[in-house]
């Protein structure tokens, strides 16, 4: 199932997708969806009274749903004095709503194609500017981003991998990944995307301080091409 929003977790690596699921679920309520659609069609921010009048709702109903949309980061709240007056006696600014600048996406299984797109674009641009091979830049950029994904309080590799959609599962002393967030790209451009993913996860392990695990390329049907193995005994595929 795919929903027509776009996720940008690169800008906020400490945030996982759970907040986005909640935001999209909030639009399932018909009145709330009508209010959202009305607000985003307007060129200027909309007040509670304006929204209520436009949709034939009670003001309290409109206010409740608009505030819920703002709580989910689907709408931004701004305050303006519509009268144009300032200073003492001008009254309190009106609470207004407008489309949020935040982008949101939910997909099942979880996919993060914008992440791959940003890394690939950055690699091409830096390669053109410096002459360094594109693949070398891509691997370095992916490693650096992976190290950033681990927040300051992250210590659990399973928690981090689950938060970004890899669906980790223990297999003996190793960890297999049940989902690839770059699935379609990896099928079409296997060497490039799997190499990027390998260095992303190596960076994540480094960010977590997990020296006991090593990310290795071990393609297998139904799994991500990367597997986390005990670093003392990496598989042969990881030595290339």
């Amino acid at each position: 199932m795919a929903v027509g929003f776009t996720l940008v977790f690169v800008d906020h690596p400490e945030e996982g997708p759970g907040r986005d699921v909640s935001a999209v679920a909030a639009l399932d309520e018909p009145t709330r969806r009508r209010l959202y659609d009305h607000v985003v069609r307007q060129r200027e921010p909309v007040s509670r009274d304006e929204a209520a009048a436009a949709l034939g709702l009670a003001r309290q109903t409109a206010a409740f749903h608009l505030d819920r949309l703002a709580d989910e980061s689907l709408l931004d709240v701004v305050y303006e004095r519509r009268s144009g007056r300032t200073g003492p006696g001008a009254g309190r600014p009106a609470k207004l709503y407008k489309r949020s600048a935040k982008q949101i996406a939910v997909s099942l299984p979880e996919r993060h194609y914008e992440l791959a797109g940003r890394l690939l674009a950055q690699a091409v641009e830096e390669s053109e500017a410096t002459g360094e091979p594109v693949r070398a830049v891509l691997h370095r950029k992916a490693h650096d981003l992976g190290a950033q994904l681990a927040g300051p309080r992250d210590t659990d590799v399973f928690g981090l991998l689950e938060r970004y959609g890899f669906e980790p599962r223990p297999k003996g002393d190793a960890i297999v990944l049940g989902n690839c967030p770059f699935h379609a790209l990896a099928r079409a451009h296997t060497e490039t995307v799997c190499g990027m993913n390998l260095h992303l996860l190596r960076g994540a392990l480094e960010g977590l301080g997990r020296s006991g695990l090593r990310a290795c390329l071990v393609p297998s049907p139904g799994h991500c091409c990367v597997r986390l193995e005990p670093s003392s005994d990496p598989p042969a595929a990881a030595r290339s």
Side-chain angles (χ1 to χ4, degrees), residues 96-201:
L96 308 175
Y97 303 84
K98 65 178 184 177
R99 182 199 293 271
S100 171
K102 182 178 179 180
Q103 299 178 19
I104 295 171
V106 176
S107 65
L108 299 174
E110 196 167 325
R111 305 289 187 238
H112 293 302
Y113 295 121
E114 184 167 343
L115 168 60
R118 285 191 175 204
L119 285 171
L120 289 163
Q122 290 170 5
V124 170
E125 290 172 355
E126 185 166 323
S127 174
E128 289 180 345
T130 65
E132 185 179 359
V134 174
R135 197 177 299 276
V137 180
L138 177 62
H139 290 174
R140 175 163 47 78
K141 293 285 187 182
H143 183 279
D144 291 346
L145 176 61
Q148 294 173 27
L149 296 184
R153 293 183 297 275
D154 275 317
T155 57
D156 177 23
V157 64
F158 276 90
L160 181 68
L161 294 170
E162 286 173 353
R163 190 156 75 244
Y164 292 110
F166 286 97
E167 299 180 6
R169 303 163 187 167
K171 187 174 183 180
D173 292 332
I175 300 174
V176 297
L177 306 177
N179 180 54
C180 173
F182 318 112
H183 176 71
L185 285 175
R187 290 185 65 184
H189 308 282
T190 304
E191 184 177 356
T192 297
V193 176
C194 289
M196 177 194 75
N197 196 18
L198 173 67
H199 285 80
L200 179 77
L201 291 173

Side-chain angles (χ1 to χ4, degrees), residues 61-100:
T61 300
F64 171 79
H65 288 298
L66 288 167
D67 284 339
R68 173 67 187 278
L69 291 167
D71 289 343
E72 296 289 355
S73 299
L74 291 165
L75 296 179
D76 285 341
V77 174
V78 295
Y79 293 88
E80 296 179 4
R81 286 192 174 93
R82 289 289 181 84
S83 67
R85 298 170 57 194
T86 60
R92 298 175 60 186
K95 186 176 185 178
L96 308 175
Y97 303 84
K98 65 178 184 177
R99 182 199 293 271
S100 171

